[in-house]
C-alpha cells in the first residue's frame, strides 16, 4: 500500500537542500538508513512500501529535527514515526466502494397475497376442527399456544409420551387433509 506524501514547493526545496541545512541529519540517514529500512520492512509486506514508509518517517523526522533535543535517541524517534505512519496508513486504507445506478441487494420475495393467506388460515382451522377433541387440544396447545410437550402434558394431565404420539397422529391427519394439499 503506497500512500503518497504531498509537500508544498517550499518544503520540497528545503528537503532538497537538507544536506546543507542539517548535515547531521544527512550523516544520520547514511549511517542508520539500512537498520531503519529493516524496521520498516518488518512493518509492511512489500519492500517498496517499506521504502515509502521509511521515506515518510524520515521526512517527519527532518521537519522536527530542530525540536529533537537528544540526538542519541533518534532511532527511537524514527521507529515511533514509522509505527505511527504505518498505523495511519492502515486506518486510512482505501475501501473499494463504487457508486452504481442499481442497488446490489437481492430483490425481496414478493409479499404473499393477503387473500391467499386468509384462505390458507381458514383451511387450516377447518382441518384442525376435524380432529378429535383430544388431538385438537394437543395441537392447539403445542403449535398455537407454543407450549412444550411437558407443559402440554401437564395442562391436559397426561404423560409426555401421550402428547408426542397424539400430536404425531394429528399431524399425519392434517397432512392427508385434501384442503391443505396446495400447502405441501
Amino acid at each position: 500500500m503506497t500512500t503518497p506524501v504531498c509537500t508544498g514547493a517550499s518544503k520540497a526545496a528545503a528537503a532538497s537542500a537538507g544536506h546543507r541545512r542539517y548535515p547531521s541529519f544527512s550523516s544520520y540517514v547514511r549511517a542508520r538508513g539500512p537498520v531503519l529500512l529493516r524496521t520498516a520492512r518488518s512493518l509492511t509486506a512489500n519492500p517498496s512500501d517499506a521504502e515509502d514508509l521509511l521515506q515518510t518517517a524520515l521526512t517527519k523526522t527532518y521537519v522536527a529535527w530542530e525540536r529533537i533535543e537528544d540526538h542519541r535517541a533518534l532511532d527511537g524517534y524514527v521507529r515511533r514515526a514509522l509505527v505511527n505512519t504505518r498505523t495511519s496508513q492502515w486506518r486510512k486504507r482505501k475501501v473499494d466502494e463504487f457508486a452504481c445506478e442499481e442497488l446490489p441487494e437481492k430483490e425481496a420475495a414478493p409479499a404473499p397475497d393477503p387473500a391467499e393467506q386468509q384462505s390458507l388460515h381458514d383451511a387450516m382451522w377447518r382441518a384442525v376442527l376435524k380432529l378429535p377433541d383430544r388431538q385438537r387440544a394437543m395441537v392447539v396447545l403445542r403449535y398455537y399456544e407454543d407450549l412444550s410437550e411437558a407443559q402440554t402434558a401437564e395442562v391436559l394431565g397426561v404423560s409426555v409420551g401421550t402428547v408426542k404420539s397424539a400430536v404425531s397422529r394429528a399431524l399425519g391427519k392434517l397432512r392427508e387433509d385434501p384442503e391443505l394439499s396446495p400447502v405441501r
Side-chain angles (χ1 to χ4, degrees):
M1 177 174 112
T2 304
T3 303
V5 178
C6 298
T7 58
S10 61
K11 284 187 180 181
S16 67
H19 65 280
R20 285 178 271 150
R21 187 168 171 199
Y22 297 125
S24 57
F25 177 78
S26 297
S27 61
Y28 170 75
V29 171
R30 275 192 303 276
R32 301 300 295 163
V35 173
L36 295 171
L37 183 58
R38 281 195 302 270
T39 303
R41 283 187 179 155
S42 70
L43 295 172
T44 63
N46 184 334
S48 297
D49 289 344
E51 291 173 7
D52 291 343
L53 177 63
L54 178 59
Q55 188 66 40
T56 303
L58 288 174
T59 302
K60 290 177 181 181
T61 304
Y62 177 80
V63 170
W65 192 255
E66 290 178 338
R67 295 190 318 261
I68 300 172
E69 295 175 11
D70 185 6
H71 282 223
R72 292 173 294 176
L74 280 173
D75 282 355
Y77 185 91
V78 176
R79 283 190 188 104
R80 175 51 47 198
L82 285 167
V83 170
N84 290 347
T85 302
R86 183 65 183 142
T87 302
S88 295
Q89 287 174 346
W90 65 256
R91 282 184 180 156
K92 294 176 186 176
R93 68 185 178 267
K94 182 181 175 187
V95 177
D96 294 329
E97 290 184 15
F98 303 99
C100 57
E101 291 182 24
E102 295 180 28
L103 294 176
E105 291 104 15
K106 296 178 182 176
E107 291 184 24
D113 182 16
E116 288 180 23
Q117 284 184 317
Q118 186 60 46
S119 173
L120 177 62
H121 183 266
D122 293 343
M124 180 61 84
W125 269 113
R126 282 192 302 273
V128 168
L129 290 173
K130 292 179 193 173
L131 294 173
D133 291 341
R134 188 168 150 167
Q135 287 180 357
R136 183 173 55 243
M138 290 183 191
V139 167
V140 168
L141 290 173
R142 281 287 290 128
Y143 298 105
Y144 286 94
E145 297 296 325
D146 202 27
L147 297 181
S148 68
E149 291 167 342
Q151 291 170 325
T152 302
E154 185 179 329
V155 168
L156 295 176
V158 296
S159 71
V160 174
T162 302
V163 171
K164 288 180 180 182
S165 63
V167 168
S168 176
R169 283 191 301 275
L171 292 177
K173 288 180 183 179
L174 291 173
R175 282 187 204 100
E176 294 172 2
D177 192 300
E179 277 191 80
L180 298 178
S181 61
V183 176
R184 287 181 231 152

